[in-house]
Amino acid sequence: MPAGFNTGQIEYIKAIANVNGHKTYKSISYNRDAAASNTAHLNIKTFDDKARYGVWCLGTKPVMRDSAGNIGVPATGYHELDAFNIPKSTDSDAIVTEVQREGDEGFLESTHINMRLLLPHVESTTATFTQDHTEFRMIVFRARDRQHHLETHTRDTNNFQFNLFRGNRNHSIGFSGFQQKEEINGNLNYTVSTATGNSGLFNVQGQDAMTAPVNKDCWVVMRDHRFYLGKEYGGKNIYEDSFHWDWKDPIATSSDNITETDNEKNYCWYIMLISNNNSLVATDHPTVSVRFTGTTHMTSG
């Protein structure tokens, strides 16, 4: 909610501005079943190939700083949840559909996402249940300042691949390397580093991916918890969760992407899933199916 306004004041402003006439519901859908290869969902492996993780970004991927100091969209293949592309109606008769907004101005009300995680019972080639035990860690987080896909709108270029966690040597660490200290001019100092370990250990600076503390100097955490699926847990193979953001923000932009506005809000949240079945075999990584569905609600007109 914009600073200085309570819920009643927001509703009054909307009424005066006449932006309650049209309601838009933007559908969000992401579905990756566990097929022959799990690179479509938990698509990134740890360096020892004994654990996998996936990251989903709310909206368009933002620009970040890489280890060479360049600013751009990271090459690492994490995913987008298309939550904020709501085009304006271009109909000359002013017919606005349910998935469009009316005019440049409006109010971004909320985003709600449901997640369904499925651990398959049957391995596709041998038709046997092979995943007795799979451990998961889910972290929902964002940068402390505004991240955006446009560099002109970006105020925070932190890259979670290098500084999401705290290391044992007071370094910030991530799956791609670590950050020592900021340079005098404020640039982030990233170092690419490989990791080695056993049974899914994420061993940059001696930390385990399942227990490494989040670096809260750079990142704001909405959730951070672990859960377990598999035959050892009574055959529990499904995990469901939901995420809700009450934005309550005025929007004014001619772009289809409604985050391209000047309200300085950071809409870029990440959902990270880390999975590990504690196998000592490097190629025996977890296989899962991940599905996201949801809606972004906006009023305009």
Side-chain angles (χ1 to χ4, degrees):
M1 184 179 297
F5 296 102
N6 59 36
T7 302
Q9 290 170 326
I10 289 292
E11 293 302 319
Y12 176 76
I13 293 171
K14 288 163 60 178
I16 294 299
N18 191 29
V19 294
N20 278 314
H22 181 74
K23 298 182 184 300
T24 304
Y25 292 94
K26 160 70 177 178
S27 175
I28 304 166
S29 179
Y30 177 96
N31 186 1
R32 291 293 184 271
D33 288 327
S37 170
N38 68 349
T39 57
H41 22 278
L42 293 185
N43 68 310
I44 310 170
K45 63 186 178 181
T46 54
F47 288 97
D48 58 5
D49 204 18
K50 296 171 185 174
R52 284 190 177 264
Y53 67 101
V55 182
W56 291 263
C57 172
L58 191 62
T60 306
K61 298 176 185 177
V63 296
M64 299 176 182
R65 185 178 296 274
D66 64 16
S67 59
N70 301 314
I71 304 296
V73 177
T76 304
Y78 64 98
H79 313 285
E80 296 177 347
L81 299 176
D82 183 13
F84 301 118
N85 282 306
I86 304 178
K88 296 188 301 181
S89 172
T90 58
D91 195 296
S92 59
D93 297 324
I95 298 175
V96 187
T97 69
E98 293 84 353
V99 296
Q100 295 176 319
R101 70 182 200 269
E102 186 174 347
D104 290 348
E105 298 182 354
F107 267 79
L108 176 57
E109 304 285 358
S110 63
T111 298
H112 187 87
I113 292 179
N114 297 312
M115 182 191 78
R116 180 177 173 87
L117 180 69
L118 177 65
L119 189 70
H121 271 281
V122 178
E123 199 277 327
S124 57
T125 56
T126 63
T128 58
F129 183 76
T130 59
Q131 301 183 100
D132 293 342
H133 168 99
T134 303
E135 178 184 13
F136 293 89
R137 182 181 182 183
M138 181 174 69
I139 310 172
V140 184
F141 63 98
R142 66 165 172 83
R144 286 204 165 272
D145 212 335
R146 189 185 196 189
Q147 291 193 316
H148 202 272
H149 60 277
L150 297 180
E151 189 173 347
T152 54
H153 287 57
T154 298
R155 298 172 61 91
D156 192 323
T157 58
N158 274 288
N159 189 332
F160 60 82
Q161 295 284 8
F162 293 91
N163 68 0
L164 178 60
F165 304 104
R166 299 298 301 178
N168 291 337
R169 300 182 190 175
N170 201 29
H171 290 174
S172 301
I173 61 176
F175 284 105
S176 295
F178 61 94
Q179 174 188 335
Q180 291 179 312
K181 294 180 179 179
E182 290 188 1
E183 298 173 356
I184 295 175
N185 60 3
N187 291 333
L188 301 174
N189 183 16
Y190 293 149
T191 301
V192 176
S193 177
T194 58
T196 58
N198 296 311
S199 189
L201 283 177
F202 161 42
N203 203 23
V204 176
Q205 308 298 322
Q207 286 283 14
D208 188 308
M210 291 299 175
T211 59
V214 175
N215 171 20
K216 295 184 179 179
D217 290 340
C218 298
W219 304 97
V220 176
V221 179
M222 177 177 171
R223 293 192 198 172
D224 182 3
H225 69 269
R226 286 187 289 169
F227 57 94
Y228 306 87
L229 298 177
K231 187 166 64 176
E232 292 183 1
Y233 297 93
K236 182 179 179 182
N237 296 288
I238 297 172
Y239 176 85
E240 296 178 345
D241 212 330
S242 62
F243 316 93
H244 188 85
W245 291 269
D246 268 321
W247 307 117
K248 303 297 183 185
D249 290 330
I251 296 294
T253 179
S254 59
S255 173
D256 287 351
N257 190 312
I258 58 175
T259 69
E260 295 179 16
T261 185
D262 294 328
N263 67 9
E264 300 299 321
K265 190 73 163 282
N266 187 5
Y267 297 104
C268 184
W269 284 84
Y270 306 94
I271 301 171
M272 174 182 281
L273 281 171
I274 308 168
S275 66
N276 177 24
N277 59 9
N278 297 313
S279 173
L280 297 178
V281 181
T283 57
D284 189 21
H285 43 63
T287 302
V288 297
S289 170
V290 183
R291 304 173 189 177
F292 292 95
T293 57
T295 302
T296 292
H297 176 206
M298 181 176 182
T299 55
S300 60

